[in-house]
Amino acid sequence: MKCRRCRDMGKTKKAVIFLPHHNLSLCRDCFILWYEKQIGRTIKKMRMFTRKDKIMVAVSGGKDSLALWFALERLGYATDGMYINLGIEERNYSRISYEKAKKLSERIKRPLHVVDIKDIFEGKGISELNKLTRQPPCSICGLIKRYYTNKVALDKGYDCVATGHNLDDEVATLLLNTLSWDVDSLSRQAPVLPEKQGFARRVKPLVGMTEKENLLYCLLMEIDYAKEECPLSTGVSTIFYKQVFNKIEQKSPGTKLRFYFNFQKNIYPLLSPIKIPHLSPCSLCGQPTTTSDKICALCRFKEKVKNLTKN
Ligand code: SF4
Ligand code: ZN
């Protein structure tokens, strides 16, 4: 298979990938150019940020967020990284993930802010918090990630937080939410969540890129990423929906892109005005909260952990 872009320019080069959903075969150099251009286009089209903005990239050490950080740097955006050490010791997951994030930060010479949850929860990581509180690990993890990415971004004066959610993540979540007509979650599923009182802007520049494309970019750019999935991810329902979508995509290339972007174009605008909850500062930490007792979910969780540890 030959690279189509090279062919259009009168050259002949062997393709390294065929993208059926774009009907495009590309060689190494053309893929890199195409990949970065696609991200740049998404950022501009969705008005995520400009080159004047200070961007904090939430990195996990995995391929998606590291590919994003590297590509944003190459596109000339001012980006720093932020890593949350979840204290997951199974298969050395957190240690390895941190090393990969640190390695990229050194390679591109950009700072990496680190939050260690063991410092916050007296030596406990996600697994210990799960055993203690009996809350699902991913719900604890989600709460901690949402809270600390926002807090660090605001404390350090960033204009927005960029995350590595890719097209596969987004369509799996969208399908899950649609199957249960979860209007509340659907009304929050946008590539850009604007800043509002106490919340930094959150953006997902990789919404148009698949996992496979992010993986290839990492391989071609020699970005060292954590290959293991999180050991606590077993039973996560989006894994099943991703598999379902891959089967649909095989039969009908382009379905993922259509499902996601037609939702954004045709359905999301009808949903977004539905709920704008009233926010007030948490009486313990000052972060925004919607609860009537004015204590945010993270502070309530901290209290719970403290009480359970005492008993
Ligand atoms: Fe956190 Fe769950 Fe993802 Fe692991 S699988 S990183 S626990 S959200
Ligand atoms: Zn609080």
Side-chain angles (χ1 to χ4, degrees), residues 198-297:
F199 281 111
R201 192 187 331 150
R202 296 183 85 90
V203 299
K204 300 173 182 172
L206 296 187
V207 283
M209 315 310 293
T210 62
E211 273 183 14
K212 193 174 158 193
E213 288 154 3
N214 297 335
L215 171 66
L216 182 62
Y217 184 72
C218 283
L219 295 175
L220 297 178
M221 296 311 242
E222 296 179 0
I223 298 167
D224 191 11
Y225 62 92
K227 286 159 195 84
E228 285 251 11
E229 289 292 328
C230 170
L232 308 181
S233 67
T234 44
V236 171
S237 49
T238 47
I239 295 177
F240 169 71
Y241 289 100
K242 278 185 186 177
Q243 290 164 350
V244 170
F245 245 113
N246 284 338
K247 287 207 171 127
I248 301 174
E249 186 74 17
Q250 259 179 11
K251 285 251 174 232
S252 173
T255 304
K256 288 181 193 175
L257 283 170
R258 283 193 298 277
F259 186 60
Y260 184 72
F261 286 101
N262 285 344
F263 166 77
Q264 294 302 334
K265 194 169 136 212
N266 302 325
I267 309 297
Y268 184 78
L270 305 175
L271 298 173
S272 52
I274 286 180
K275 266 194 183 161
I276 303 168
H278 178 71
L279 299 169
S280 53
C282 166
S283 55
L284 296 177
C285 72
Q287 287 276 301
T289 178
T290 52
T291 54
S292 51
D293 57 1
K294 299 224 165 73
I295 297 182
C296 77

